Amino acid sequence: MQTTELSPLELLHKNNSSDFLPLKGTDHVEFYVGNAKQSAYYYQAGWGFELVAYAGPETGLKDRASYVLQQGKVWLVLTTSFDPESEISQHVRKHGDGVKALALWVDDAEKAFEATTSRGAVAVHPVKTIKDQWGEVKLASIKTYGETIHTFIERKNYTGAFLPGYQPKASAFKAESVGLQFIDHCVGNVGWGEMNTWVKFYEEVMGFKLLITFDDNDIGTEYTALMSKVVSNGNGYVKFPINEPAEGKKKSQIEEYIDFYGGAGVQHLALATDDIIKTVTELRKRGIEFLQVPETYYEDLLSRVGKIDEDIADLKRLNLLVDRDEEGYLLQLFSKPVEDRPTVFYEIIQRKGAKSFGKGNFKALFEAIEREQALRGTL
Ligand code: FE2
């Protein structure tokens, strides 16, 4: 029987036919840190990641060490340098532990580099091919906000643990997964008046589309404010909200981040789970700290979000946040910063149809952040 209807996959390909930067998803996120060995243990013991690969002096790398951690499709790389003058050490001195690279998985690194640099992206390094006994990987990098970079990774001819040069490595510590599945979105904080510059960068240079705009009326409390726009790539696998500070009676949380980070950078990674109650119960048991909303948040919750599957007592016990849009609802929770500097933190998110970002929770959430800022003396 003939049919003219396209399957969802064909539709996806058709919609992406004009996508000059097809992305298969986030490949990994690389942090530059002061002590990768200890950070790796934190992510295993606290967050349920598994150590899968390593590169360092024992594998022939003389000046640094990198630990690769995996949970579901989330891959984190923690890199530290032994040379105080290196770019890695300078990054850590200036920013503290923070995200250096948001690596994007592509079919063709050469094309990705060419497509973006020809549209104005600043090259960090052109395509290079690296090899070991498990095959080869092509990679190239471009700059984005602050000192953050995007690395395009083409790994179709590679079967090793992570990238050429890395050896498989297991830990004596058997970390049990907390159910984190993939990176839902990754948020950047940029300086005053820079949000639109970076939105334009993602639109024109990376071929992303503007999904949502929040102004300071959406995201303001009595005291502080910020503005945010969310951009997404063609297939929707990669979403980057970009925040900038807005004027309020007191200091914006984005301004606080920029003061402590020493410029623009990654603010949070949102990690998806399909059972947030189980995930957050486990994370709390392991000592991960989260922002706290007041009890009153739950008083009118059901009248705001309507019927939900979860037991409100569980939500209250774990201090989970809920929001609804036209397509469904979502549950989310935000960690406290995972460094002493109030910079990078994590969001745990479970989507039940909703494709939005929890706008209904902004006020309660930002008031929780303000209480933390007040404790730090930075409000
Ligand atoms: Fe988020």
Side-chain angles (χ1 to χ4, degrees):
M1 192 178 73
Q2 285 282 324
T3 168
T4 52
E5 260 183 51
L6 297 173
S7 75
L9 200 64
E10 286 166 330
L11 205 59
L12 192 70
H13 282 297
K14 185 169 175 279
N15 289 341
N16 284 339
S17 57
S18 61
D19 188 353
F20 63 80
L21 182 62
L23 300 176
K24 296 162 79 84
T26 303
D27 190 276
H28 66 267
V29 177
E30 181 169 21
F31 289 76
Y32 282 173
V33 300
N35 186 337
K37 179 177 274 198
Q38 290 192 4
S39 296
Y41 182 72
Y42 168 76
Y43 280 102
Q44 290 174 83
W47 293 86
F49 281 82
E50 189 188 348
L51 178 66
V52 292
Y54 170 80
E58 300 84 350
T59 70
L61 206 58
K62 292 298 173 214
D63 62 345
R64 79 196 109 115
S66 293
Y67 294 74
V68 182
L69 300 154
Q70 183 203 357
Q71 185 170 178
K73 293 179 185 163
V74 187
W75 292 71
L76 304 181
V77 181
L78 305 168
T79 295
T80 201
S81 166
F82 310 149
D83 171 3
E85 303 309 323
S86 70
E87 174 250 332
I88 298 166
S89 293
Q90 285 177 26
H91 196 277
V92 172
R93 186 162 58 233
K94 181 166 183 194
H95 303 296
D97 290 3
V99 172
K100 176 62 186 180
L102 296 169
L104 302 169
W105 182 23
V106 297
D107 254 335
D108 189 329
E110 184 80 58
K111 261 192 196 158
F113 184 73
E114 170 58 29
T116 48
T117 50
S118 69
R119 288 171 171 83
V122 177
V124 177
H125 65 76
V127 180
K128 60 181 176 192
T129 305
I130 49 175
K131 297 177 186 182
D132 66 10
Q133 70 264 43
W134 293 291
E136 65 171 48
V137 169
K138 288 187 177 161
L139 39 85
S141 298
I142 59 167
K143 283 188 177 184
T144 176
Y145 48 77
E147 290 194 89
T148 319
I149 64 172
H150 288 307
T151 302
F152 301 117
I153 311 259
E154 174 189 329
R155 52 168 70 256
K156 56 179 180 274
N157 297 315
Y158 194 66
T159 58
F162 179 56
L163 289 176
Y166 285 80
Q167 293 289 328
K169 186 173 171 91
S171 173
F173 180 78
K174 286 290 159 256
E176 208 179 309
S177 164
V178 298
L180 300 174
Q181 295 182 315
F182 57 88
I183 296 176
D184 184 275
H185 58 275
C186 180
V187 182
N189 282 345
V190 300
W192 293 97
E194 291 177 1
M195 176 179 69
N196 286 327
T197 311
W198 289 104
V199 167
K200 204 167 150 222
F201 166 84
Y202 281 107
E203 287 176 328
E204 293 177 3
V205 174
M206 304 274 289
F208 282 44
K209 298 272 179 296
L210 179 65
L211 266 192
I212 312 172
T213 298
F214 302 106
D215 63 24
D216 47 350
N217 296 323
D218 294 321
I219 350 186
T221 65
E222 190 191 343
Y223 294 118
T224 66
L226 63 88
M227 292 189 286
S228 188
K229 287 184 175 177
V230 184
V231 292
S232 168
N233 81 313
N235 59 18
Y237 292 172
V238 179
K239 290 190 275 298
F240 293 144
I242 307 288
N243 298 331
E244 74 170 36
E247 289 290 352
K249 282 188 199 161
K250 297 197 175 180
K251 187 183 243 184
S252 168
Q253 52 169 295
I254 309 306
E255 201 182 350
E256 185 202 33
Y257 171 100
I258 285 167
D259 286 351
F260 279 87
Y261 195 74
V266 170
Q267 180 208 40
H268 74 269
L269 302 175
L271 306 177
T273 170
D274 64 3
D275 186 349
I276 197 167
I277 289 176
K278 180 172 166 274
T279 298
V280 172
T281 299
E282 270 304 316
L283 290 171
R284 285 192 181 277
K285 217 192 282 175
R286 298 174 196 195
I288 301 303
E289 299 175 317
F290 294 95
L291 289 174
Q292 197 75 15
V293 294
E295 285 272 304
T296 50
Y297 174 86
Y298 297 93
E299 283 168 8
D300 62 344
L301 182 66
L302 293 181
S303 64
R304 279 195 290 115
V305 301
K307 196 180 145 6
I308 53 173
D309 305 332
E310 291 72 18
D311 188 338
I312 197 122
D314 286 331
L315 304 183
K316 234 184 193 173
R317 175 172 57 84
L318 296 168
N319 210 241
L320 298 177
L321 309 176
V322 191
D323 195 28
R324 185 178 284 281
D325 63 21
E326 308 74 46
E327 292 167 280
Y329 69 98
L330 61 83
L331 302 116
Q332 62 187 167
L333 186 60
F334 296 82
S335 81
K336 290 188 181 181
V338 295
E339 305 79 15
D340 291 298
R341 298 193 198 193
T343 55
V344 184
F345 61 87
Y346 288 90
E347 172 182 352
I348 309 298
I349 185 166
Q350 181 179 6
R351 296 188 178 277
K352 292 195 150 179
K355 296 205 178 74
S356 52
F357 293 83
K359 179 174 157 178
N361 291 324
F362 287 168
K363 191 165 184 290
L365 180 66
F366 295 153
E367 285 169 352
I369 293 175
E370 284 169 14
R371 285 190 290 277
E372 299 287 319
Q373 278 183 274
L375 290 174
R376 291 191 283 264
T378 59
L379 186 60

